[in-house]
Amino acid sequence: MTGEMQGYLLYALSLLSLGGIYAILALGLNLQWGMAGLFNAGIAGFFASGAYTAAILGTPPVAGRLGGFDLPMPVTVAAAALFSAAIGWAVGRLCIRLRTDYLAIATIGIAEILRLIVRNEGWLTGGSLGISGIVRPFDGLGPPRADIGYLAVVLGCLVLVYIFVERAGRSPWGRTMRAIRDDERAAAALGKDVDAFRLQAFALGSGIMGGAGALTAYYFRFLSPDATEPLLTTFLVWVMLIAGGSGNNRGAILGAFLVWTLWSSTELVTGRLPADWAANLAYLRVLLIGLLLQVVLQRFAGGILPERARR
Amino acid sequence: MRILEAQGLIGGYGAMDILKGVDLFAEAGRLGVVVGPNGAGKSTALKAVLGMLELRAGSITFEGESLGGLSTSARIARGIGAVPQNDNIFQGMTVLENLEMGGYLVESPLAPRIERMFAIFPPLAEKRRQPAGELSGGQRQMVAMARALMAEPRLLLLDEPTAGLSPAFRADIFARIRTITEEGVAVLMVEQNAREALAIADTGFVLAAGANRFTGSGAELVADPDVRAAFLGG
Amino acid sequence: MLAFVNFYLIPGVIVGSIYALGAVGVSLIFAILRFAHFAHGDLMTLGAYLALSLVAAAGLAPFLALPFAMAGAIVVALVVHRLFYAPLANRPTIVLLIASFGVALMLRSAIQLLWGVQVETYVQGIQRPLVFFDDLRIAERHIYIVLATVVAIVALHVFLTATRAGKAMRAVADQPELAELSGIDRKAVVRQVWVIGGGLAAMAGVFLGIDGELDPNMGWDLLLPVFAAALLGGIGRPYGAIAGGYVIGLAQELATYPWIGAEPLLSPGYKSAVAFALMVGLLLWRPQGLLRGREGT
């Protein structure tokens, strides 16, 4: 294989791996927003808490920082999901009863707190140095086999999450959830504990986001406080879900891959430009993605794959 | 003189028709009362007159001109006042401010009109600086009517003005409504207390299942054995 | 004691003024349009950068550039409403929140495109504070910030309680349908809300720039304390939002004072967590206060 060919292959693998991780994030958000109508403006917080949990548990010991447990990936990913779900549960406990605007504000708050902790608590998170030395499974195979192996891991996780949320959606639990979203009072009148159902959906969605964070930490083999920045997680995932079709899991996955392809292929273009142009185009790209969101909201309210009417 | 003429109103919310052919009219200086069981479409008919409902068929003319296609605020500007059943006062605003909002479209000074309202509803005068949300039920209803009257509408629509009031207050509100008609205003009132309301009505409309069942003078309807049997509890 | 006043109390009042100005807009927008405006912080940033252009190009003092920055931010707020919020008027209000989330990013990236990402200041060099009573030091700019905030708040109060348009705004916030039945033009009220919200946001942004530095993330970083202030005051109640702004501003500065021993009570790195902590406290102890936030002013 020529060097150039291998470059394209690695690019495609990277696109698919990160696209798959975004698809998992979008499924998590779809569980919260699409099914339960709960607004989460702090995806970055749940994502980063998962990423750091996995990085701290999964790396060898380093002087001056907690960690060094060197646990295997399945354990760390599960722990990441559990930890983020616990945070989601705690936030939900506080404000799930209130109108969803308050939940939105509270989730911004939790994301901000986590950002501060990551930046300030070097003994825990490595501070601005971040955490390096995260080893992926299959890394011993060398590129591109290691990357193919990791893509398989990501896609495997995506399939598992998809099956889980689809089953949940079709179950009596999912039907109740949508009934609550569409008419809270009617559902309450039928004796459903509206708050409990919502809390479960919010915690589950947060847990899925935490798992996606863990996968990202392994993907980059390195984790820095940039993981807490809302642009690449909170904002992009919202655009993905709205564009793909909130309420529809396949729409969420499709939206994630489409928007991620759009987003990262513009990077190919900007990468070939002079540095100051490249920086400007990067901002223009954010502007255009923001505009895309507005167009979808106004013209294609249901997204590409709108929610199917179910009985 | 009939200043409002609504004929063959058909419409509702979404795909469901609540009105299935309703005729209403209102005359200057007269009180029209709309009665009927729950779900008959009484309040919905008033909303149709105000343009707050999509009509599939029917015509509404006010003072000889069609209201078709006009927004609610345009109908208000033409001289129609309305008091909804719920949320009919600005709770966080003082009585005085409520009246000022009622006269929002009035170009002349509001002070004489406000004094006139205090003359019609004396209990409000001393409460003028209190938030309307702190008043008693009967006084709130007075604020609600006074707000609507500030614009000096020629037609006043009242949706269950005595809901939740004790019989004593109910009689008091009815008496004040008669005062309003005596000044030449046409009043169209939806009322749950059918017998009492028809007793003071010039015209009564008995609606059931979205259509007119009986129309006549208040006295006729109260006396009609069919109306009594079906709608007035014998 | 003087160190306490100079380094904790005065900064708290300044930051509180900035939060209050932002929170009033958030609160009014919520009262009329019923959604949490996520682009409000970036509207502040925009105001700060508009003033920067005037300071740099025309050599104006930042306080003289303020009216122009406010006018510019108002125009942008009105255009954003027209293009991105008004078309969603008949949808659930949460859709407006999502749209404002997108607008926040669009505004920020537009600012990065137009002004770059490096940190800027209005005035180069060290600014000497005025000296009163030997040791009590108050910078001239801080006096102006507090005075201007008080003027803005008094003007807002007069508008809301003594003018026809201001009362109409309260009426729409109180009972939108009844306001329509009174002939109040909701669209005009909505425009006025953006004029007030946009203008005060620009004012907050310029003051933030005067007090420190400008960077494209300054407004987004302010969103949490500003929302927390609006919540603390009972969202939808502008006077509450002003009080909430000062409470949060003072609390976050005073929390870093060495109340016990020589160490700061709270590490300064966690200042912005104070807003969140207060909000959580409020949610725990007085959630009914939030639910009531729709009534009154």
Side-chain angles (χ1 to χ4, degrees):
Chain A
M1 201 187 299
T2 65
E4 195 177 348
M5 280 289 289
Q6 181 164 2
Y8 281 120
L9 177 63
L10 287 176
Y11 180 75
L13 290 172
S14 147
L15 189 75
L16 287 172
S17 298
L18 285 171
I21 292 172
Y22 273 112
I24 295 173
L25 281 168
L27 286 176
L29 182 63
N30 193 33
L31 190 57
Q32 296 177 336
W33 168 249
M35 277 181 63
L38 299 168
F39 198 94
N40 184 348
I43 299 170
F46 300 103
F47 171 86
S49 59
Y52 272 95
T53 305
I56 291 167
L57 293 178
T59 48
V62 174
R65 178 170 63 73
L66 179 82
F69 302 102
D70 219 356
L71 294 171
M73 182 172 174
V75 178
T76 62
V77 173
L82 274 177
F83 184 62
S84 296
I87 295 181
W89 184 84
V91 177
R93 255 327 284 265
L94 280 175
C95 37
I96 221 118
R97 293 160 293 161
L98 306 171
R99 45 176 288 168
T100 194
D101 294 71
Y102 295 116
L103 184 63
I105 296 167
T107 49
I108 284 199
I110 196 76
E112 172 72 7
I113 300 281
L114 288 166
R115 191 178 71 89
L116 293 176
I117 291 174
V118 164
R119 289 205 180 270
N120 288 318
E121 305 303 326
W123 61 272
L124 181 66
T125 63
S128 56
L129 291 175
I131 297 179
S132 53
I134 307 170
V135 180
R136 289 185 201 166
F138 308 117
D139 254 3
L141 299 175
R145 290 207 183 89
D147 300 272
I148 295 172
Y150 196 67
L151 175 62
V153 170
V154 168
L155 294 183
C157 291
L158 174 60
V159 169
L160 282 179
V161 172
Y162 174 75
I163 291 172
F164 172 73
V165 290
E166 271 292 303
R167 288 235 171 131
R170 287 172 204 279
S171 69
W173 182 85
R175 282 199 298 275
T176 309
M177 209 59 251
R178 277 190 301 276
I180 290 172
R181 179 196 65 187
D182 294 339
D183 190 344
E184 181 183 338
R185 258 177 277 178
L190 290 172
K192 306 290 182 189
D193 186 347
V194 171
D195 291 346
F197 273 90
R198 283 190 170 153
L199 194 53
Q200 289 156 12
F202 195 74
L204 279 176
S206 303
I208 292 173
M209 290 170 185
L215 290 177
T216 311
Y218 279 97
Y219 175 78
F220 287 111
R221 301 187 183 93
F222 168 70
L223 192 57
S224 80
D226 289 344
T228 58
E229 290 302 321
L231 173 67
L232 278 171
T233 44
T234 307
F235 177 65
L236 220 46
V237 174
W238 267 104
V239 175
M240 288 165 175
L241 181 62
I242 300 286
S246 59
N248 183 328
N249 289 320
R250 284 183 212 172
I253 294 173
L254 180 68
F257 278 106
L258 271 181
V259 172
W260 180 245
T261 307
L262 205 67
W263 178 266
S264 58
S265 61
T266 47
E267 208 157 55
L268 277 186
V269 180
T270 57
R272 287 161 195 260
L273 290 167
D276 50 337
W277 275 70
N280 275 344
L281 274 174
Y283 304 125
L284 189 63
R285 173 170 73 163
V286 180
L287 191 70
L288 291 177
I289 290 278
L291 201 59
L292 172 75
L293 175 68
Q294 309 296 348
V295 171
V296 172
L297 284 178
Q298 290 184 21
R299 297 287 156 84
F300 310 98
I304 303 167
L305 292 179
E307 184 177 2
R308 288 154 290 179
R310 300 187 213 213
R311 266 140 299 206
Chain B
M1 187 188 66
R2 290 191 180 184
I3 65 167
L4 177 82
E5 188 80 65
Q7 284 179 330
L9 303 184
I10 299 177
Y13 305 98
M16 275 266 287
D17 281 340
I18 297 171
L19 306 180
K20 293 165 184 154
V22 171
D23 301 331
L24 292 175
F25 61 84
E27 298 168 290
R30 301 288 183 105
L31 172 63
V33 170
V34 185
V35 299
N38 280 332
K42 308 183 294 289
S43 300
T44 312
L46 291 194
K47 287 208 168 85
V49 174
L50 287 166
M52 300 170 88
L53 182 80
E54 292 244 340
L55 282 180
R56 288 203 298 111
S59 69
I60 306 174
T61 57
F62 179 63
E63 296 178 333
E65 286 178 50
S66 171
L67 293 179
L70 289 184
S71 70
T72 300
S73 46
R75 294 175 197 221
I76 300 297
R78 290 263 175 119
I80 300 178
V83 181
Q85 183 186 349
N86 300 312
D87 296 334
N88 52 19
I89 56 168
F90 299 111
Q91 300 200 27
M93 303 176 79
T94 66
V95 170
L96 205 55
E97 285 172 334
N98 267 271
L99 299 189
E100 286 173 8
M101 288 301 105
Y104 184 77
L105 292 175
V106 175
E107 312 230 327
S108 56
L110 290 179
R113 295 189 184 209
I114 291 172
E115 287 315 311
R116 219 167 61 81
M117 288 307 132
F118 290 151
I120 301 175
F121 305 103
L124 298 185
E126 59 196 78
K127 308 260 183 184
R128 67 177 76 192
R129 306 225 175 268
Q130 268 193 36
E134 293 176 4
L135 302 185
S136 70
Q139 288 168 345
R140 285 170 180 231
Q141 204 57 47
M142 292 182 196
V143 173
M145 283 201 275
R147 183 208 57 81
L149 287 170
M150 278 295 292
E152 298 191 344
R154 294 178 294 287
L155 169 65
L156 181 64
L157 306 174
L158 302 173
D159 194 355
E160 302 203 19
T162 67
L165 297 185
S166 68
F169 272 124
R170 201 185 301 159
D172 182 51
I173 295 288
F174 282 161
R176 289 178 207 280
I177 291 169
R178 291 273 26 166
T179 324
I180 295 165
T181 57
E182 277 158 23
E183 299 199 8
V185 178
V187 177
L188 204 51
M189 169 170 83
V190 167
E191 195 37 71
Q192 282 285 4
N193 303 292
R195 187 188 293 270
E196 283 170 65
L198 287 176
I200 60 161
D202 296 303
T203 314
F205 305 89
V206 182
L207 304 191
N212 290 59
R213 291 291 295 276
F214 301 94
T215 304
S217 76
E220 273 168 27
L221 291 175
V222 175
D224 188 311
D226 291 340
V227 177
R228 294 175 71 105
F231 299 103
L232 303 178
Chain C
M1 180 61 204
L2 281 167
F4 173 75
V5 173
N6 286 335
F7 301 118
Y8 298 92
L9 193 61
I10 292 173
V13 171
I14 300 305
V15 173
S17 301
I18 292 167
Y19 292 169
L21 290 171
V24 169
V26 164
S27 210
L28 275 179
I29 292 165
F30 191 91
I32 302 297
L33 289 147
R34 302 270 185 237
F35 78 106
H37 186 224
F38 270 60
H40 213 70
D42 297 277
L43 214 48
M44 295 182 200
T45 314
L46 179 75
Y49 275 87
L50 287 172
L52 177 70
S53 283
L54 283 163
V55 171
L60 280 182
F63 280 105
L64 294 178
L66 179 62
F68 300 98
M70 288 170 74
I74 288 168
V75 170
V76 170
L78 289 170
V79 169
V80 162
H81 176 75
R82 179 77 198 76
L83 291 180
F84 302 127
Y85 303 151
L88 302 170
N90 296 324
R91 308 272 293 281
T93 55
I94 194 75
V95 179
L96 283 165
L97 193 156
I98 299 174
S100 74
F101 201 57
V103 167
L105 262 286
M106 290 166 76
L107 281 178
R108 195 196 315 179
S109 52
I111 288 164
Q112 287 166 329
L113 270 174
L114 291 170
W115 283 282
V117 287
Q118 61 278 36
V119 172
E120 308 263 6
T121 52
Y122 288 127
V123 185
Q124 306 293 322
I126 299 166
Q127 300 176 58
R128 295 198 65 79
L130 292 179
V131 177
F132 291 121
F133 314 117
D134 297 335
D135 289 320
L136 176 64
R137 291 178 299 174
I138 305 177
E140 204 175 337
R141 60 182 196 279
H142 287 163
I143 296 174
Y144 285 137
I145 287 174
V146 172
L147 281 181
T149 304
V150 169
V151 168
I153 290 170
V154 170
L156 179 73
H157 176 74
V158 170
F159 171 77
L160 286 176
T161 54
T163 69
R164 178 171 175 267
K167 288 177 193 172
M169 187 174 284
R170 285 166 54 214
V172 173
D174 197 319
Q175 292 295 343
E177 283 202 5
L178 191 64
E180 196 184 357
L181 283 177
S182 303
I184 295 169
D185 179 3
R186 188 171 179 278
K187 286 186 176 148
V189 169
V190 167
R191 278 194 298 275
Q192 288 153 8
V193 164
W194 287 112
V195 169
I196 296 173
L200 294 183
M203 204 166 167
V206 173
F207 289 170
L208 193 65
I210 289 174
D211 191 43
E213 302 165 334
L214 292 84
D215 82 88
N217 281 324
M218 61 197 278
W220 178 265
D221 293 342
L222 236 56
L223 205 55
L224 177 63
V226 163
F227 274 153
L231 279 183
L232 210 58
I235 197 159
R237 300 150 71 121
Y239 302 121
I242 293 164
Y246 282 104
V247 167
I248 288 186
L250 283 169
Q252 81 173 41
E253 294 301 324
L254 298 189
T256 59
Y257 184 74
W259 295 101
I260 307 159
E263 288 293 303
L265 189 65
L266 181 79
S267 155
Y270 284 103
K271 260 188 203 176
S272 52
V274 171
F276 183 71
L278 280 173
M279 206 167 79
V280 168
L282 189 73
L283 289 167
L284 279 174
W285 287 298
R286 298 224 32 217
Q288 70 277 21
L290 295 175
L291 293 171
R292 251 203 345 249
R294 290 166 149 252
E295 303 168 11
T297 42

Short mmCIF file of all heavy atoms in Angstrom, two decimals, chain C residues 159-199:
data_model
loop_
_atom_site.label_atom_id
_atom_site.label_comp_id
_atom_site.label_asym_id
_atom_site.label_seq_id
_atom_site.Cartn_x
_atom_site.Cartn_y
_atom_site.Cartn_z
N PHE C 159 -39.64 53.31 32.85
CA PHE C 159 -40.28 52.78 31.64
C PHE C 159 -41.38 51.78 31.99
O PHE C 159 -42.50 51.87 31.49
CB PHE C 159 -39.22 52.11 30.75
CG PHE C 159 -39.81 51.35 29.58
CD1 PHE C 159 -40.27 52.04 28.46
CD2 PHE C 159 -39.91 49.97 29.60
CE1 PHE C 159 -40.82 51.36 27.38
CE2 PHE C 159 -40.47 49.28 28.53
CZ PHE C 159 -40.92 49.98 27.43
N LEU C 160 -41.08 50.85 32.89
CA LEU C 160 -42.04 49.78 33.17
C LEU C 160 -43.24 50.26 33.97
O LEU C 160 -44.32 49.69 33.86
CB LEU C 160 -41.35 48.65 33.94
CG LEU C 160 -40.41 47.75 33.13
CD1 LEU C 160 -39.72 46.74 34.04
CD2 LEU C 160 -41.16 47.01 32.03
N THR C 161 -43.07 51.29 34.78
CA THR C 161 -44.17 51.67 35.67
C THR C 161 -44.87 52.96 35.27
O THR C 161 -45.98 53.21 35.71
CB THR C 161 -43.68 51.84 37.12
OG1 THR C 161 -42.60 52.77 37.12
CG2 THR C 161 -43.22 50.53 37.70
N ALA C 162 -44.24 53.77 34.42
CA ALA C 162 -44.85 55.09 34.16
C ALA C 162 -45.12 55.36 32.69
O ALA C 162 -45.68 56.40 32.36
CB ALA C 162 -43.95 56.18 34.74
N THR C 163 -44.74 54.47 31.79
CA THR C 163 -45.04 54.73 30.39
C THR C 163 -46.05 53.72 29.87
O THR C 163 -46.18 52.62 30.40
CB THR C 163 -43.78 54.63 29.50
OG1 THR C 163 -43.37 53.26 29.46
CG2 THR C 163 -42.64 55.48 30.05
N ARG C 164 -46.76 54.15 28.82
CA ARG C 164 -47.79 53.30 28.24
C ARG C 164 -47.15 52.02 27.69
O ARG C 164 -47.64 50.91 27.91
CB ARG C 164 -48.47 54.11 27.14
CG ARG C 164 -49.54 53.40 26.37
CD ARG C 164 -50.26 54.42 25.49
NE ARG C 164 -51.24 53.82 24.62
CZ ARG C 164 -50.97 53.44 23.37
NH1 ARG C 164 -49.77 53.60 22.87
NH2 ARG C 164 -51.91 52.90 22.62
N ALA C 165 -46.02 52.18 26.98
CA ALA C 165 -45.36 51.02 26.38
C ALA C 165 -44.85 50.07 27.45
O ALA C 165 -44.96 48.85 27.32
CB ALA C 165 -44.21 51.48 25.49
N GLY C 166 -44.31 50.63 28.53
CA GLY C 166 -43.77 49.78 29.59
C GLY C 166 -44.87 49.00 30.30
O GLY C 166 -44.71 47.82 30.61
N LYS C 167 -46.01 49.66 30.53
CA LYS C 167 -47.11 48.95 31.16
C LYS C 167 -47.64 47.86 30.23
O LYS C 167 -48.01 46.78 30.67
CB LYS C 167 -48.23 49.92 31.53
CG LYS C 167 -47.86 50.82 32.70
CD LYS C 167 -48.97 51.81 32.96
CE LYS C 167 -48.49 52.90 33.91
NZ LYS C 167 -49.50 53.97 34.03
N ALA C 168 -47.66 48.18 28.93
CA ALA C 168 -48.12 47.18 27.97
C ALA C 168 -47.19 45.96 28.01
O ALA C 168 -47.65 44.82 27.92
CB ALA C 168 -48.15 47.77 26.56
N MET C 169 -45.90 46.21 28.19
CA MET C 169 -44.94 45.10 28.29
C MET C 169 -45.25 44.24 29.50
O MET C 169 -45.28 43.01 29.43
CB MET C 169 -43.52 45.67 28.38
CG MET C 169 -42.43 44.62 28.31
SD MET C 169 -40.78 45.37 28.26
CE MET C 169 -40.72 45.93 26.58
N ARG C 170 -45.52 44.89 30.64
CA ARG C 170 -45.88 44.11 31.83
C ARG C 170 -47.19 43.37 31.62
O ARG C 170 -47.36 42.24 32.10
CB ARG C 170 -46.00 45.05 33.04
CG ARG C 170 -44.62 45.48 33.56
CD ARG C 170 -44.75 46.64 34.51
NE ARG C 170 -45.66 46.39 35.60
CZ ARG C 170 -46.43 47.33 36.16
NH1 ARG C 170 -46.39 48.57 35.73
NH2 ARG C 170 -47.22 47.02 37.15
N ALA C 171 -48.11 43.98 30.89
CA ALA C 171 -49.40 43.33 30.65
C ALA C 171 -49.20 42.06 29.82
O ALA C 171 -49.80 41.02 30.11
CB ALA C 171 -50.35 44.30 29.94
N VAL C 172 -48.36 42.14 28.79
CA VAL C 172 -48.12 40.96 27.95
C VAL C 172 -47.44 39.88 28.78
O VAL C 172 -47.75 38.69 28.66
CB VAL C 172 -47.27 41.31 26.71
CG1 VAL C 172 -46.88 40.06 25.95
CG2 VAL C 172 -48.03 42.26 25.81
N ALA C 173 -46.52 40.28 29.66
CA ALA C 173 -45.86 39.30 30.52
C ALA C 173 -46.86 38.66 31.47
O ALA C 173 -46.78 37.47 31.76
CB ALA C 173 -44.73 39.97 31.31
N ASP C 174 -47.81 39.44 31.92
CA ASP C 174 -48.78 38.99 32.92
C ASP C 174 -49.81 38.04 32.29
O ASP C 174 -49.99 36.92 32.76
CB ASP C 174 -49.46 40.23 33.52
CG ASP C 174 -50.16 39.94 34.83
OD1 ASP C 174 -50.80 38.88 34.93
OD2 ASP C 174 -50.10 40.77 35.74
N GLN C 175 -50.48 38.48 31.25
CA GLN C 175 -51.52 37.68 30.58
C GLN C 175 -51.49 37.98 29.08
O GLN C 175 -52.17 38.90 28.62
CB GLN C 175 -52.91 38.03 31.12
CG GLN C 175 -53.19 37.62 32.55
CD GLN C 175 -53.18 36.11 32.71
OE1 GLN C 175 -53.28 35.37 31.75
NE2 GLN C 175 -53.04 35.67 33.94
N PRO C 176 -50.76 37.19 28.32
CA PRO C 176 -50.61 37.52 26.89
C PRO C 176 -51.94 37.61 26.14
O PRO C 176 -52.15 38.52 25.33
CB PRO C 176 -49.75 36.38 26.35
CG PRO C 176 -49.23 35.66 27.52
CD PRO C 176 -50.00 36.03 28.72
N GLU C 177 -52.87 36.69 26.43
CA GLU C 177 -54.13 36.71 25.67
C GLU C 177 -54.99 37.90 26.03
O GLU C 177 -55.61 38.52 25.17
CB GLU C 177 -54.92 35.41 25.91
CG GLU C 177 -54.35 34.26 25.12
CD GLU C 177 -55.38 33.15 24.91
OE1 GLU C 177 -56.55 33.33 25.29
OE2 GLU C 177 -54.99 32.11 24.36
N LEU C 178 -55.00 38.22 27.31
CA LEU C 178 -55.79 39.37 27.74
C LEU C 178 -55.19 40.67 27.17
O LEU C 178 -55.91 41.59 26.81
CB LEU C 178 -55.85 39.44 29.26
CG LEU C 178 -56.85 40.45 29.84
CD1 LEU C 178 -58.27 40.05 29.47
CD2 LEU C 178 -56.72 40.52 31.35
N ALA C 179 -53.87 40.70 27.06
CA ALA C 179 -53.22 41.87 26.46
C ALA C 179 -53.67 42.02 25.01
O ALA C 179 -53.96 43.13 24.55
CB ALA C 179 -51.71 41.72 26.53
N GLU C 180 -53.78 40.90 24.32
CA GLU C 180 -54.27 40.95 22.93
C GLU C 180 -55.71 41.45 22.90
O GLU C 180 -56.08 42.26 22.05
CB GLU C 180 -54.16 39.55 22.31
CG GLU C 180 -54.26 39.57 20.81
CD GLU C 180 -54.25 38.17 20.21
OE1 GLU C 180 -54.11 37.19 20.96
OE2 GLU C 180 -54.40 38.08 18.98
N LEU C 181 -56.51 41.00 23.87
CA LEU C 181 -57.91 41.44 23.93
C LEU C 181 -58.01 42.92 24.32
O LEU C 181 -59.08 43.51 24.21
CB LEU C 181 -58.69 40.60 24.94
CG LEU C 181 -59.10 39.21 24.48
CD1 LEU C 181 -59.79 38.45 25.59
CD2 LEU C 181 -59.99 39.27 23.25
N SER C 182 -56.92 43.48 24.82
CA SER C 182 -56.92 44.92 25.13
C SER C 182 -56.39 45.72 23.95
O SER C 182 -56.29 46.95 24.05
CB SER C 182 -56.05 45.19 26.37
OG SER C 182 -56.50 44.43 27.46
N GLY C 183 -56.04 45.03 22.88
CA GLY C 183 -55.56 45.74 21.70
C GLY C 183 -54.07 46.03 21.72
O GLY C 183 -53.58 46.80 20.90
N ILE C 184 -53.33 45.41 22.65
CA ILE C 184 -51.89 45.63 22.71
C ILE C 184 -51.22 44.83 21.60
O ILE C 184 -51.49 43.64 21.44
CB ILE C 184 -51.33 45.22 24.09
CG1 ILE C 184 -51.90 46.14 25.16
CG2 ILE C 184 -49.81 45.27 24.10
CD1 ILE C 184 -51.65 45.68 26.58
N ASP C 185 -50.35 45.50 20.85
CA ASP C 185 -49.66 44.86 19.74
C ASP C 185 -48.46 44.09 20.28
O ASP C 185 -47.45 44.67 20.63
CB ASP C 185 -49.22 45.93 18.73
CG ASP C 185 -48.48 45.33 17.55
OD1 ASP C 185 -48.37 44.09 17.49
OD2 ASP C 185 -48.02 46.10 16.70
N ARG C 186 -48.60 42.77 20.34
CA ARG C 186 -47.54 41.95 20.94
C ARG C 186 -46.22 42.10 20.20
O ARG C 186 -45.14 42.09 20.79
CB ARG C 186 -47.98 40.48 20.95
CG ARG C 186 -47.03 39.60 21.72
CD ARG C 186 -47.59 38.20 21.91
NE ARG C 186 -46.62 37.38 22.63
CZ ARG C 186 -45.61 36.78 22.05
NH1 ARG C 186 -45.44 36.90 20.74
NH2 ARG C 186 -44.76 36.07 22.75
N LYS C 187 -46.33 42.22 18.87
CA LYS C 187 -45.08 42.32 18.09
C LYS C 187 -44.28 43.56 18.47
O LYS C 187 -43.05 43.52 18.54
CB LYS C 187 -45.41 42.35 16.60
CG LYS C 187 -45.82 40.98 16.10
CD LYS C 187 -46.01 40.98 14.60
CE LYS C 187 -46.33 39.57 14.13
NZ LYS C 187 -47.21 39.58 12.97
N ALA C 188 -44.99 44.65 18.72
CA ALA C 188 -44.29 45.88 19.12
C ALA C 188 -43.62 45.67 20.47
O ALA C 188 -42.48 46.09 20.68
CB ALA C 188 -45.27 47.05 19.18
N VAL C 189 -44.33 45.00 21.38
CA VAL C 189 -43.76 44.73 22.70
C VAL C 189 -42.51 43.87 22.57
O VAL C 189 -41.49 44.13 23.21
CB VAL C 189 -44.80 44.05 23.61
CG1 VAL C 189 -44.16 43.53 24.88
CG2 VAL C 189 -45.92 45.02 23.94
N VAL C 190 -42.59 42.87 21.70
CA VAL C 190 -41.43 41.98 21.51
C VAL C 190 -40.24 42.78 20.98
O VAL C 190 -39.11 42.61 21.44
CB VAL C 190 -41.80 40.83 20.54
CG1 VAL C 190 -40.55 40.10 20.08
CG2 VAL C 190 -42.75 39.86 21.24
N ARG C 191 -40.51 43.69 20.06
CA ARG C 191 -39.40 44.53 19.55
C ARG C 191 -38.78 45.35 20.67
O ARG C 191 -37.55 45.45 20.78
CB ARG C 191 -39.91 45.46 18.44
CG ARG C 191 -40.00 44.79 17.08
CD ARG C 191 -40.18 45.82 15.97
NE ARG C 191 -41.42 46.59 16.08
CZ ARG C 191 -42.59 46.17 15.61
NH1 ARG C 191 -42.69 45.01 15.00
NH2 ARG C 191 -43.66 46.92 15.74
N GLN C 192 -39.64 45.91 21.52
CA GLN C 192 -39.10 46.71 22.63
C GLN C 192 -38.28 45.87 23.58
O GLN C 192 -37.28 46.33 24.13
CB GLN C 192 -40.25 47.40 23.38
CG GLN C 192 -40.87 48.53 22.58
CD GLN C 192 -42.32 48.77 22.96
OE1 GLN C 192 -42.83 48.19 23.90
NE2 GLN C 192 -42.99 49.63 22.20
N VAL C 193 -38.71 44.61 23.77
CA VAL C 193 -37.93 43.73 24.65
C VAL C 193 -36.53 43.54 24.09
O VAL C 193 -35.54 43.56 24.84
CB VAL C 193 -38.64 42.36 24.80
CG1 VAL C 193 -37.69 41.31 25.35
CG2 VAL C 193 -39.84 42.50 25.70
N TRP C 194 -36.42 43.38 22.78
CA TRP C 194 -35.09 43.20 22.19
C TRP C 194 -34.28 44.49 22.26
O TRP C 194 -33.06 44.44 22.39
CB TRP C 194 -35.19 42.69 20.76
CG TRP C 194 -35.61 41.26 20.74
CD1 TRP C 194 -36.79 40.75 20.29
CD2 TRP C 194 -34.88 40.13 21.24
NE1 TRP C 194 -36.85 39.39 20.48
CE2 TRP C 194 -35.69 38.99 21.06
CE3 TRP C 194 -33.63 39.98 21.84
CZ2 TRP C 194 -35.28 37.71 21.44
CZ3 TRP C 194 -33.23 38.71 22.22
CH2 TRP C 194 -34.04 37.60 22.02
N VAL C 195 -34.97 45.62 22.16
CA VAL C 195 -34.24 46.89 22.30
C VAL C 195 -33.64 46.99 23.71
O VAL C 195 -32.45 47.28 23.87
CB VAL C 195 -35.18 48.09 22.02
CG1 VAL C 195 -34.51 49.40 22.41
CG2 VAL C 195 -35.57 48.11 20.54
N ILE C 196 -34.47 46.70 24.72
CA ILE C 196 -33.97 46.79 26.09
C ILE C 196 -32.93 45.71 26.36
O ILE C 196 -31.82 45.98 26.85
CB ILE C 196 -35.13 46.66 27.10
CG1 ILE C 196 -36.10 47.82 26.93
CG2 ILE C 196 -34.60 46.61 28.53
CD1 ILE C 196 -37.35 47.69 27.76
N GLY C 197 -33.27 44.47 26.01
CA GLY C 197 -32.36 43.36 26.28
C GLY C 197 -31.05 43.52 25.55
O GLY C 197 -29.97 43.33 26.13
N GLY C 198 -31.11 43.89 24.27
CA GLY C 198 -29.89 44.06 23.47
C GLY C 198 -29.05 45.21 23.99
O GLY C 198 -27.82 45.10 24.12
N GLY C 199 -29.71 46.32 24.32
CA GLY C 199 -28.99 47.49 24.80
C GLY C 199 -28.29 47.22 26.12
O GLY C 199 -27.11 47.53 26.28
#
